Amino acid sequence: VQLQASGGGPVQPGGSLSLSCAASGSDSAFNFIGWYRQEKGKEREVVATISRIGSRHYGDSVKGRFLISREIGENTAFLQMNALTPEDTAVYYCYAEGSTRDGTFYNGPWWGQGTLVTVSS
């Protein structure tokens, strides 16, 4: 399984940024794709996840500001981040879980390389 994340970088408070996560290595759609984030000195926390049928879950701190999307049955997810604040500054990790390979199910999870999002004026 490979996860290729793109996007991220610096942005001013109140601005927007988008991330994408392309997962490969499964014969079918991954059960879940999404992002977690980790601030320095803190535990990793969920940002947003989306299931293979489009069910979404958001962390409390991003509800109403972030939107995760994914074509049904596809393995690329997109995260639109709006109204960013300095508290959103973190390393964002693409993740996936639940894949099938040659008829065998693997739960995972798998993690991509982190991408830094810095919200600062």
Side-chain angles (χ1 to χ4, degrees), residues 2 14 24 51 70 86 95 103:
Q2 289 189 329
S24 61
S51 75
R70 174 186 181 183
Y95 115 106

Side-chain angles (χ1 to χ4, degrees), residues 83-113:
L84 287 160
T85 73
E87 288 69 37
D88 295 312
T89 296
V91 177
Y92 285 68
Y93 294 92
C94 172
Y95 115 106
E97 68 175 275
S99 75
T100 303
R101 189 79 172 180
D102 296 328
T104 300
F105 176 80
Y106 299 93
N107 192 62
W110 300 272
W111 299 94
Q113 81 281 7

Side-chain angles (χ1 to χ4, degrees), residues 1-53:
V1 172
Q2 289 189 329
L3 299 176
Q4 184 64 48
S6 62
V11 64
Q12 292 189 341
S16 298
L17 211 57
S18 61
L19 304 177
S20 66
C21 175
S24 61
S26 177
D27 294 337
S28 61
F30 286 86
N31 285 357
F32 296 94
I33 300 177
W35 283 268
Y36 281 66
R37 69 186 183 187
Q38 188 167 22
E39 298 175 59
K40 195 171 289 187
K42 295 186 178 181
E43 291 188 359
R44 194 172 293 188
E45 64 174 1
V46 63
V47 177
T49 64
I50 187 166
S51 75
R52 62 191 299 169
I53 60 171

